[in-house]
Every structure is written in structure tokens, then in C-alpha cells.
């Protein structure tokens, strides 16, 4: 009975919160209340008193629009709050917070936000992302369990469970992630698919009639079906079977009725995205057996205690046992214990910079993808939990960790050797899932990187944005960063990609100019723990600048710096990033030889430069100097910030073409000569 | 025997072209030569003498990296060239063109480019796109056949065939598209899946072990397997079965050996993306039975004639019959014939603008998504082949064509009625496939639109970029275009999306300020046939400006225009787009009342404004006026182009938040008062 009352308490809190907010998504939350109850009360190992417990099961509400379901449960389960990264002795959410659902500056925003509300493991909302990132969390569990597992210890046997809806299942990103999860045989992963046959445009019959069960079987998943979304014992049994099947992921197809209980709206699209209205709400309460005079936000006696008795006690006991084990582990394996503490805290291992190379001046130089590969390997050798890979492009992106094994299910014997504790991920041609999975890895304490051609970052965009929103330290290694790609042509030559990343809040984009800027870019990336970092690297060779002649590369950390200068105030500023820096250096040398006072500014990162104080920025780009040239083999969009109304941006105004890189550069005006001429013209404009 | 010689001619041309180019992808092209031969010679209805024939079968090489396979076939089949949109009597490709493979300004670029090389139906390269757009082409065929079909006529029974590789099949976009194609029962679609078990990182065993056949069966496809990629009769039989199965799409899984014939590299990843090397090339020639002294680019006698005899003759006869039918059709159904001629030419029907509304001034106004919905319906009523829909958001994006049926397989009885000739597409929560399918619809002559929240344009990005690259007139209706979204919070509030579209070449982004700018934006969009157009529209209401007081809205076509002005040279320029225009108008009124000479510039489209001549741009934004304020509730990235070093951009410097839109706007500084204060500060800077 307390079971039914608890479920209906979730439902009424859902309805009341949405009604009060005058917006929100009640239907799915009402439908999933029994599954939520079953999972939290009878299945999940989660200690409400410590939402950071590393051994906890992970719960992901992939359909983030049903956020109120999670908030109501976090409230009822008494999850403790977090302040400045520490658990504090007060509830994460109170009834008052539910009353403030979707309000300005509340703890209960429209979609769950990681870092804002304790108990929320990941920001969700854009469909398909949560369940795909859950694959990363499950993989991280397997990685940690294998890499740090020792006889007699079971520290990372946690299970990852994601609730998904029709939208999540229709999205391509989840299809990619599910295929990879099946390949990796992630038996610690369960997706609960809320199949309610209703979407915003009406019945799913208008567009979604595939056989989902068969599809997931084709991926190698266990597929279970629960015919009645209100049948708690059946849901518990399916969740249990999901945990017991350790050699493949599990999909539980749960048939539910959207807006269950609402007399007129249950089972209809109108229960999805708007308040039910007072009449439907009262009708639903009646259907649940709620008293006629029940106040809004009623929490019947005993419900919170019931959550404490089941979910709370089980979680508490489990964490106590885990704490005991972890202490014994640290005593027996102090080095591994130290590493795990770094992983839990998100800090870097001692000496991670030890092997970073320094590159001597070299006219021929090397491609920045090449130097990046060397730097990555130098870091990886000192950083055991740096793990990543490419979307089937590792030989081109130079992102293989040498001598390391492949990340694979142990039963999958591959040529280079594999196991769950490998270092090299083979994501397949699944860029979007790659990025979503990296979010899950980062949320689990691993330090992930992933790689592809810069143009294919387009496929990853929604997941990268979530990394930025969640401040996750994922590193993106994007190579083939311009028309310098050459023969592969315009489908493979990025134009607008640098601009779109620079315009994205929270992401740091770096485009190093030579091998030593690559070293410093990686240094920035590794130390930057407050958000994702993207590196834009060349396919083609870049000269390694003579740093005895020009400024040292460590100023990369400031985003932009004076690379080469003149005596006194410059007459002209020449700016560029990445491969174009050597062009402006060439033009600078010619101008200086002719007696022009010129300055070269290397601008590897707009984001970092804009974060410097005004004095520094003005010192690098003196406001009084208005003759400015910005050069980049990409869309010039955004360069005007530094070039102003009186300068010139030399950039791409069209898509690229197929041909030898040098021919393309000549055609589109990226030569020393062209920069030089542009500068001369600014210095001595022809009379109009 | 001529069959084998022809196939091996394709293979040797492939090898020789890649060898000469010193880069390229020989392996897949060699492996697929028999399938290509089987398809072109025995299955496809395609007249090499008229690559524009509307009744032709469509061939899509989804793995565009194997472009040389298509080029070699276009050459051997003698496809005629096109100049200024007209077929001319010379070959589209000569042997010389193959020798220039991947060279600067050649007709044989690294990936096939639509519009550059006759015989190329679509630009491919980014994986998963070609086969997904093929779904749109097949749907267009069904739409045309149903809408324009009359007893005794079969004008649009064409079949669409896409060759795909492992990468295409791994991508999420193709999973979405395949699910929808199955739902729509597109029996005129065949995907030939080249399963060679090899990807760039090695064996597909490292990441791709799902059961592809079962997956496609789950989508409702017919799945056939051909065990030997060299077995031409078996391939022909499978292709035939694909055509004969008219009630569902067909997947043919073709087992091939990458780099077939190369003695050391066949079946290995090294045959994928680089020249084979002279030794392997000679070894392969030997395996094919080529004479030892065969010159490079040898085309044995009779091979081109053999293509003419089979593919050429069949296509010629088929088109002759089609031409006869079409003439009879036009005689019997002149109106429909006229419409079809518009469709084939890509022109607009007479009177399409007839019902466009004009909105009176209205302080309360309406959301631009709302006025857009009205305008869309006004256009649709006069434009029968304007077809589109949303990714399960039509009620929110206001993109339902009223009174029209749903696009469905005839056997699928849905509430609003459906059929292949419906107008309302239900794409499902499959944004990426939606965009790719619209590319296919546009390539087939329909005028497609698709809709979603602006934030979810991120999911569509790779396909939108291809629309821009191919100059396809797809219209994107993006609503919920700023933090004005309100309670749904930062996962649903676009920030960098406007910037990323403005930075993309070839796409025209419009963000109208009120209902009349919406009308003009749609007018621009419909008339713009040289590339895609995106509309950014609000969720929230916008006042309808009094156009007797301010400038008329038809200047939207110029991208930016003086909306409100002062006497003489302005002291300050206030600029904004979309919902922020009314803020700057409010600030303008206060400044003018205080005697400040201010000007308001409405900037609905950077792209269109930047396309105006310098005189116009300088007239709108006089270079001498440096006090400038740009206001937009999005990333300010790119606004500096108009604001300069001395002005101020009032924009979002972070992600948004969940809360009421008005509270968010106040918090982030988007109020009349804030704009007014910023302007005052520019006019009278406080002493530092």
C-alpha cells in the first residue's frame, strides 16, 4: 500500500509542480513513477547521504523534459545537498524547491542540470544524449573495475540505468551508442525504454513503426518487455535480470500510458508538454484515491520514511561496505589508491608534464597533427587514466597511444590486444556517439579525448555543447583543419567550424601555429578542468618557429601574444592563428626589412585571449593602431573583433575546392606575398 | 568476357587514377566495380545522353571517397556533359579528366560534387549523408508518382539506388533515415551495402559487430545477401528483387574484398585510403589478366561500345518512351504538365505570393513562429509542391499545412489522413535524417521545408552544410530562437547557433523582427533558389511595428536597413535583429526625445547585408559614425563586423538559464533601459 501511495505521491507532486509552474511535461513523469519507484526503492545502490559516492549506481533520465520526476524522487529519497563540492547536511531539494519548478534561479530548472542539483548525474534535454552518455559511464565502470580491480575487491561493480523515451530511441546518436555498447558487451548498462506510443505530433504510428526489440537484439542486447508500466514487481524483475546479465546490455521495453490517471488526457499527446489543467489534475487525484480535500503538494505520512527504509538503508549499507573495502584497498595498494583519489577529485597525476617535448627550429617542420600525436603520447605515458580514440580515423589523427591495448570486451580478441582497461577506443564511424560517450567517461572521472577531422565535428556538435554546458574536461583533437586538407575537397575542408566553436560558451578552442604551440596547447588542455578544450591541427607540415628569434610559445596560455615585434609603436598589426602564422611572419620579415614597424600577434585561442584583462589585451593589440590584418584559412566571421572597421580580414568567403593544398592556398590568397601586399595597401592606400 | 574486361577496366582506371593523383581511395572502388557494372549495365534506367531526364533512375555513391569508381563509370558509359544547365554533345568526362583526378580545378575532384560533374546526382563524402538523402529522392519519386499520376501514365516509377559502406551504415543519420524509409515503405529504394569488414582502423571487428541484416529487418526492409561481390549474375538478381519488392525498401548486403586483385593489399586497411603503389598495381593487373605491357589508363577495345549497347541503349529507349508519355500527359493534363515543368526547372508557380498577409501595427503582436505559420500556409495554398514538416515539433514550430494530409504509405491509415502525396511530413525525432532527406527532396524538384527548435539545428548541421555546398533551396524553419525560450532552460536556448549559420558559406540566415519582416523573410526564402535559407523565429510574442512610422519591411531583402532615423548624421547607431529590434526602437525613442540623433538599423540577415554593395552598406552604417551598439540575445560573435572596436555588443556571454523569459532578459541585460543606458554611456563616457 505504501508502495502505491509513494508512486502516487510522485505523480501528484509532478502534476502540482507543473500546474504551479504553468508549464512543463507531466505525462511522462506520471507514467514513469512506478518504474522510478521500483528502481530507486528495490534496485539501485545509491546512498542519498552521499551523492558523490564513487561506487554508486548511476541513474540517467535521458528524457530530461520529465525532470520533475527526478526532482520529486530526489526530494522523497532525501538526497543530501552539495556546496562547493562538499556534501552538506541538508536536503538537495525541499518541497519549496518543487513549488519553484522551472522558476528563475531555482534548483529545479526545466531540464536537469548537472552541478546545479545534487542527485542529477548529467544534464539532459536534447534527446538521445543521456542514454548515449550512459554508455560512457558504463564503460568507465568496466575500465575502472578492470584497471584497478584486485582479487577480493569489488569497487566498481556499479550499474548504469537510463530511462529513455521514444525520442531517445529515434535519435541516431543513441543508435550509434547502442551499437557500440553491444559490441563492448556492457553488461552493467540498462536502458528502460518508456514506450507510450505518443509523441508531440500524435501517435508514434505516424512515423515510428520499427521493431525496436529486434533492433536492439541486432546490436547484441538482451531485450526484456514489461507489458504494464504500473506493474512494480514485473519492473523489479526485469531490472534484476538486467543486472544479472553481465555479458551484454539490457533494454527493458516498458509499456506505459502517458499521463496515467488523468481522466481525459491519459494516453494523448496533450498530456506531454503542458499542465493538465485543474480539472484533469483533480480527476487524476481521484483516480489515485487521493482525498477530495487533499492540498496541493501533499506528501502523505510515511512516504519519505518509506524511501529512507528501502533506498536509503540499502544505499547506506552498500557505501559503508564500499568504504571499508576502499580503505583496505588503499592500504594494500597505496599507489593505485592514490590514483583513484585523483580520479575521484578530478586532479592530475604528479609529473604528468615530465615527458613533454621541446621542438628545435625547423624550416620544414611537421604537421601539427603529428606533433600533437607525440605530445599526446608523452602525456599518456604519465597519465594512466587518459583514455580515448577516434571515429575510425586514428591513423590520420595520430591519436593512437603507442603500445597500449584496445578498449574491448575481454572476449573480443583483436590484433593489438584488448580488454576493458585498454587505452585506445575504437569508436567506429560514430562521431556523435563518440562525443556523447566521452561525456559519460568524463562524468565518471576518466580523462577522455576523442579525435576526428575538424569538419566532422559537425556530427558531434550537440554532445560537445553539453560538455561545455556541464564544464566537462573532454579534449577534442580535430585535425585536417583547413583547405590545407587539399585533394579531399570542400566536403572535407572546414570553413565555419572554428567560428562556431569560438562562439560557443564554455569551450576553449586552440589552433596552435607550430610544434611548440602544440605542446603548450596540450598543456593548457590538460590543466583546464573547467570545460572542454578543442585543438585544431593541420594535415600539412608547418615550420617550427625559431623561438630564440621570436617569443616563446608558453604565452599560448594567454590565447594571443606578441610573437614578433618592432621598436616603438607598430604601424601595423599582423594577426593569425595556426598554419597562417608562418605566413604573417614571412610578411612581417619583408615589411621590417623595408623599414615598416610591424608586429605579429599569434592568436591560438580567441577564448583564452578574451579572458585576459583589458591591459594585457590592449598591450598586445594597442587600440591606437588601426591598421590591422587578420589571416585565417577559414570563415573570417568573428575576426573583426580584433581587426575592427579599419583593418582587413583575409579569410575564406566560400567553400574550398579539391586540389593540391599549395594551389588552393594560392588561389584563395593565403601566401606570404598576398599578406605582404595587403599590408602595404593598408599602409599606403591607393587614392580612390 | 566483355563483362569481365569491362569490370577490370573500371578497376585499372581506378588504380591508375589514384596512382597518378598520388592520393585517393582505390580499395572500395575496385571492390565495387562488379556491382557498378551490374547496376549500370543490367538494371539502371539512365540515358547517358541526357543526365537531366526526370524519369531516370538515381544512383548515389554514398561513400564519396570512392569517387573514382563513379568517374570511371561515367566515362565508360559516355554520359554527356552539361553547360549552363543544358546538356551538350560532348562527354562529361574524358580519359584526360581521369588523369587529372583530384587535381586543382579538375572535373574529377576528391569527392563527387553535384553541379560540377554531369552524372553526379549529389555531393557525397561525409558518411551517411548520401544514402539518407536517397530516402528523400525515393520519397520524392513516390510523391510525384502519386500526386501527378494519372491512369495510363507511369512517369515517376524511377528507382533510387545507393551504394554504401561500413561507415555509412555505422552513422546515426543513416539509422534514422532507414527507420523512416521502412516506415514509409519506400519500395523504390535500394541500398547496396558493401560489407568488406575493413575500416581505416583495421578490421571492423574492433568496433562493428552488430547484425546489420537483422537491424534492417527491424526497420521493415527486405534484406538480401550476395556472398561474392564478383558474382555479377547474383548481384543482378538481387538488384532485380529489390525493384520487384515495391512495398518496402531493400538492403543488399554484398560481401566484397577491398582492393580486390591487389596481391598483398587486398582485404587490408592499407588498400583503403592511399595509392596501392606500383608493385601492387602491376600485381593486380596481372591478376586481372591484363597484358604485361599494358599502358596506364588502358581502355580495351569494345568496352565503351559495350556500355553503349547495354546501359546506353536501354536508357535511350526508356527515355524515348517517357518523352512520348510525357507529351501525351501534357496534352491531356495541361495544368499538371505546367506544374511538372516548373518542378523540373526549379521555378516558382505563378501567383505564389498572392495570399501573403500584411500585418497592421500591434503593440501586443504575435510570436514570429506564429506569423511564420500563417505565411507558410499562405504560400502553401498556392504552391502545390511545397512539402515539409518537423522533427516531432510541428505544433510548436507552427509548420503544419492546414487541411493537408500526412505524407504516409497508403497502407498506413493515420488520423489526419495520409498518402504519398500528403504535404505534412512527420520526420519523428530524427533531425539529422530530416535535413538529409530534405536534400534528397530538393534534388528531386520538390520545394522542401523542415522545422525544429533552433537549438536542434545542431543535430542537422552536416546535412545543412551539404545543402549549402550544393546550392539546394531548402528552407529551415527554426523557432525558439533565443533565451526567450524561457523555462526550458540552457539545453534549449540557442547561443552560438546564429553565429555558426552566419559563418557558413552559401546559407542565408534571416531573423525577422516582427510579423511583416516574417512575411518578407519568407518572400526572400521562396525566391532564393541558389541555396538554403534558415529562418530564426521566436517562441515569444513580438510587437508588430508601425510601418507608417518606421521604414517598410520590404527592405528585409537587403539584409539590413534603416528602420528609424534622425535628421542629419546620427550620433549613434543602434542595431539589432529579430526580437531585440523592438528593444533598440524603445531606446531610440527615448534618446530622440532627449535630443540625441540616433538611428536604428534592423539587421535580419548578415548574409544578405554583406552581399550589398559598399555604397549601400556605408549609407546604412556610415563609416564616420563610430558610436554603435549591437544587440542580440545570442553570442555576440560576429557582430563586431558592424560594431567595430569603438562600439559595444550587447549579447550573451554564457549559456542561458531556466526561468521566465522576462526575468532572463532582465538578468542578461536585454531591456530597453539597458540598451538606453549603454547608448548614453557611449555618448557620454564616464571619466576613467
Amino acid at each position: 500500500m505504501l508502495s502505491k501511495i509513494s508512486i502516487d505521491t510522485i505523480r501528484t507532486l509532478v502534476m502540482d509542480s507543473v500546474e504551479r509552474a504553468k508549464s512543463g511535461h507531466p505525462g511522462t513523469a506520471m507514467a514513469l513513477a512506478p518504474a522510478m519507484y521500483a528502481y530507486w526503492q528495490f534496485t539501485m545502490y545509491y546512498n542519498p547521504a552521499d551523492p558523490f559516492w564513487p561506487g554508486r549506481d548511476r541513474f540517467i533520465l535521458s528524457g530530461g523534459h520529465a525532470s520533475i520526476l527526478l526532482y520529486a524522487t530526489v526530494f522523497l529519497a532525501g538526497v543530501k545537498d552539495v556546496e562547493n563540492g562538499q556534501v552538506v547536511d541538508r536536503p538537495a531539494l525541499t518541497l519549496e524547491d518543487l513549488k519553484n519548478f522551472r522558476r528563475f534561479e531555482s534548483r529545479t530548472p526545466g531540464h536537469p542540470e548537472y552541478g546545479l542539483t545534487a542527485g542529477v548525474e548529467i544534464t539532459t534535454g536534447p534527446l538521445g544524449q543521456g542514454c548515449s552518455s550512459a554508455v560512457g559511464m558504463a564503460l568507465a565502470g568496466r575500465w575502472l573495475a578492470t584497471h584497478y580491480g584486485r582479487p577480493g575487491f569489488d569497487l566498481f561493480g556499479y550499474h548504469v540505468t537510463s530511462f529513455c523515451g521514444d525520442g531517445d530511441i529515434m535519435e541516431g546518436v543513441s543508435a550509434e551508442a547502442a551499437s557500440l555498447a553491444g559490441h563492448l558487451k556492457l553488461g552493467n548498462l540498462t536502458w528502460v525504454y518508456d514506450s507510450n506510443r505518443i509523441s508531440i505530433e500524435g501517435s508514434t504510428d505516424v512515423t515510428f513503426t520499427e521493431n525496436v526489440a529486434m533492433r536492439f537484439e541486432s546490436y547484441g542486447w538482451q531485450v526484456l518487455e514489461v507489458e504494464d508500466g504500473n506493474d512494480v514487481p514485473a519492473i523489479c524483475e526485469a531490472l534484476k535480470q538486467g543486472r544479472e546479465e553481465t555479458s551484454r546490455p539490457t533494454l527493458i521495453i516498458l509499456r506505459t500510458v502517458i499521463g496515467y490517471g488523468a481522466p481525459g488526457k491519459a494516453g494523448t499527446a496533450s498530456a506531454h508538454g503542458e499542465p493538465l489543467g485543474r480539472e484533469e489534475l483533480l480527476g487524476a487525484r481521484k483516480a489515485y484515491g487521493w482525498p477530495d480535500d487533499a492540498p496541493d503538494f501533499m506528501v502523505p505520512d510515511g512516504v519519505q520514511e518509506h524511501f529512507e527504509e528501502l533506498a536509503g538503508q540499502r544505499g547506506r549499507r552498500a557505501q559503508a561496505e564500499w568504504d571499508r573495502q576502499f580503505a583496505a584497498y588503499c592500504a594494500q595498494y597505496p599507489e593505485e589508491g592514490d590514483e583513484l583519489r585523483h580520479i575521484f577529485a578530478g586532479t592530475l597525476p604528479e609529473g604528468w608534464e615530465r615527458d613533454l617535448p621541446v621542438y628545435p627550429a625547423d624550416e620544414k617542420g611537421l604537421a601539427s597533427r603529428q606533433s600533437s600525436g607525440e605530445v599526446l603520447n608523452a602525456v599518456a605515458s604519465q597519465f594512466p587514466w587518459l583514455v580515448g580514440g577516434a571515429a575510425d580515423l586514428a591513423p590520420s589523427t595520430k591519436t593512437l597511444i603507442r603500445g597500449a591495448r584496445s578498449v574491448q570486451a575481454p572476449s573480443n580478441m583483436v590484433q593489438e590486444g584488448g580488454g576493458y582497461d585498454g587505452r585506445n577506443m575504437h569508436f567506429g564511424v560514430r562521431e556523435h556517439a563518440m562525443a556523447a560517450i566521452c561525456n559519460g567517461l568524463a562524468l565518471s572521472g576518466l580523462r577522455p579525448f576523442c579525435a576526428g577531422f575538424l569538419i566532422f565535428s559537425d556530427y558531434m556538435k550537440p554532445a560537445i555543447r553539453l560538455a561545455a554546458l556541464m564544464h566537462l574536461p573532454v579534449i577534442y583533437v580535430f585535425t585536417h583543419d583547413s583547405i590545407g586538407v587539399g585533394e579531399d575537397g570542400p566536403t572535407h575542408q572546414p570553413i565555419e567550424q572554428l567560428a562556431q566553436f569560438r562562439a560557443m560558451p564554455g569551450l576553449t578552442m586552440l589552433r596552435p601555429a607550430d610544434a611548440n604551440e602544440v605542446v603548450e596547447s596540450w598543456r593548457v588542455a590538460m590543466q583546464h578542468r573547467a570545460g572542454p578544450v578543442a585543438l585544431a591541427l593541420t594535415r600539412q607540415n608547418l615550420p617550427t618557429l625559431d623561438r630564440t628569434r621570436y617569443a616563446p610559445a608558453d604565452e599560448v596560455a594567454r590565447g594571443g601574444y606578441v610573437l614578433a615585434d618592432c621598436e616603438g609603436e607598430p604601424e601595423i598589426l599582423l594577426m593569425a592563428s595556426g598554419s597562417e602564422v608562418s605566413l604573417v611572419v614571412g610578411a612581417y620579415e619583408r615589411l621590417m626589412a623595408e623599414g615598416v614597424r610591424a608586429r605579429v600577434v599569434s592568436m591560438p585561442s580567441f577564448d583564452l585571449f578574451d579572458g585576459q584583462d583589458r591591459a594585457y589585451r590592449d598591450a598586445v593589440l594597442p587600440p591606437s593602431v588601426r591598421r590591422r590584418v587578420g589571416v585565417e584559412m577559414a570563415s573570417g566571421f568573428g575576426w573583426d573583433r580584433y581587426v575592427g572597421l579599419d583593418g582587413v580580414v583575409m579569410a575564406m568567403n566560400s567553400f574550398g575546392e579539391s586540389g593540391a593544398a599549395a594551389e588552393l592556398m594560392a588561389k584563395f590568397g593565403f601566401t606570404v606575398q598576398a599578406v605582404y601586399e595587403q599590408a602595404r595597401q593598408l599602409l599606403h592606400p591607393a587614392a580612390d
Side-chain angles (χ1 to χ4, degrees), chain A residues 11 21 27 41 86 92 128 152 182 191 272 282 295 300 332 376 423 428 433 463 521 560 564 607 668:
Chain A
R11 284 173 166 148
Q41 287 285 65
Q86 301 296 320
W191 287 5
H272 172 80
L282 292 175
Q332 206 170 334
L376 164 63
R423 306 279 301 269
S521 295
D607 307 294
F668 290 109

Side-chain angles (χ1 to χ4, degrees), chain A residues 120-383:
Chain A
V120 171
E121 298 279 4
I122 178 170
T123 297
T124 51
L127 294 175
Q129 298 292 334
C131 53
S132 299
S133 293
V135 173
M137 294 184 185
L139 178 61
R142 286 287 190 246
W143 194 94
L144 291 166
T146 309
H147 189 82
Y148 292 108
R150 296 294 179 273
F153 293 98
D154 177 19
L155 294 169
F156 300 103
Y158 59 75
H159 201 88
V160 180
T161 302
S162 176
F163 281 16
C164 323
D166 286 306
D168 290 303
I169 300 295
M170 277 190 261
E171 288 285 3
V173 60
S174 66
E176 294 175 9
S179 173
L180 191 51
H183 170 79
L184 291 170
K185 302 182 194 299
L186 296 175
N188 58 342
L189 175 68
T190 297
W191 287 5
V192 177
Y193 163 36
D194 170 29
S195 175
N196 61 27
R197 317 289 313 146
I198 288 295
S199 64
I200 293 174
E201 294 183 4
S203 162
T204 52
D205 287 347
V206 301
T207 189
F208 188 48
T209 49
E210 64 173 58
N211 184 331
V212 173
M214 189 193 287
R215 172 152 70 94
F216 278 74
E217 279 162 11
S218 82
Y219 297 139
W221 289 47
Q222 169 177 236
V223 177
L224 307 173
E225 306 210 22
V226 175
E227 284 306 318
D228 176 3
N230 289 317
D231 186 344
V232 170
I235 297 168
C236 287
E237 175 57 27
L239 290 167
K240 184 161 157 280
Q241 285 182 41
R243 297 182 86 98
E244 286 172 357
E245 171 56 87
T246 58
S247 65
R248 52 185 176 150
T250 294
L251 179 77
I252 299 173
I253 301 178
L254 184 69
R255 306 281 169 194
T256 68
V257 175
I258 194 168
Y260 178 83
K265 293 190 171 178
T268 73
S270 67
H272 172 80
E274 57 193 24
L276 294 173
R278 196 76 198 163
E279 194 181 335
E280 285 286 307
L281 180 153
L282 292 175
R285 278 193 198 164
K286 199 179 179 77
Y288 303 149
W290 241 230
D292 285 347
D293 59 350
D296 291 353
F297 295 93
M298 184 177 89
V299 179
D301 287 346
V303 170
Q304 285 175 286
E305 293 76 5
H306 180 54
F307 270 88
E308 167 56 26
E309 270 163 33
L310 294 176
Q313 292 298 337
R314 192 175 56 258
R316 222 175 291 274
R317 278 195 306 274
Q319 181 166 7
E321 165 60 17
W322 191 94
D323 287 346
R324 197 194 56 69
Q325 271 203 34
F326 186 60
Y329 182 94
C330 290
Q332 206 170 334
Y333 306 104
E335 224 170 281
E336 288 80 354
D338 271 356
E339 289 186 8
L340 283 171
R341 284 198 198 89
H342 276 299
I343 289 174
F344 302 155
T347 47
L348 280 67
E350 302 283 316
W352 70 272
E353 299 175 285
R354 194 176 296 146
D355 298 337
L356 287 179
V358 174
Y359 289 90
D362 178 1
E363 190 50 43
K364 176 165 172 290
L366 72 176
S368 49
R369 63 172 168 154
Q370 188 68 45
S371 47
S372 168
E374 295 172 6
V375 176
L376 164 63
N377 271 279
V379 175
S381 67
Q382 304 293 340
F383 205 135

Side-chain angles (χ1 to χ4, degrees), chain A residues 22-199:
Chain A
K22 298 196 180 70
S23 75
H25 299 76
T28 296
M30 291 159 73
L32 284 175
M36 197 71 169
Y37 175 82
Y39 177 64
W40 281 66
Q41 287 285 65
F42 299 108
T43 311
M44 180 162 73
Y45 290 90
Y46 183 89
N47 181 3
D50 183 3
F52 287 146
W53 169 36
R56 72 192 181 280
D57 283 345
R58 267 68 169 180
F59 173 76
I60 292 104
L61 183 69
S62 195
H65 53 275
S67 58
I68 187 64
L69 172 68
L70 180 53
Y71 300 145
T73 309
V74 163
F75 161 69
L76 290 173
V79 174
K80 289 275 185 269
D81 205 5
V82 167
E83 195 174 296
N84 301 323
Q86 301 296 320
V87 180
V88 292
D89 190 20
R90 61 164 186 261
L93 294 178
T94 63
L95 215 44
E96 205 52 39
D97 291 313
L98 299 187
K99 290 177 183 169
N100 285 326
F101 178 49
R102 293 170 70 89
R103 294 229 174 130
F104 186 55
E105 298 188 337
S106 75
R107 314 286 297 270
T108 46
H111 291 81
E113 294 182 30
Y114 174 72
L116 179 69
T117 314
V120 171
E121 298 279 4
I122 178 170
T123 297
T124 51
L127 294 175
Q129 298 292 334
C131 53
S132 299
S133 293
V135 173
M137 294 184 185
L139 178 61
R142 286 287 190 246
W143 194 94
L144 291 166
T146 309
H147 189 82
Y148 292 108
R150 296 294 179 273
F153 293 98
D154 177 19
L155 294 169
F156 300 103
Y158 59 75
H159 201 88
V160 180
T161 302
S162 176
F163 281 16
C164 323
D166 286 306
D168 290 303
I169 300 295
M170 277 190 261
E171 288 285 3
V173 60
S174 66
E176 294 175 9
S179 173
L180 191 51
H183 170 79
L184 291 170
K185 302 182 194 299
L186 296 175
N188 58 342
L189 175 68
T190 297
W191 287 5
V192 177
Y193 163 36
D194 170 29
S195 175
N196 61 27
R197 317 289 313 146
I198 288 295
S199 64

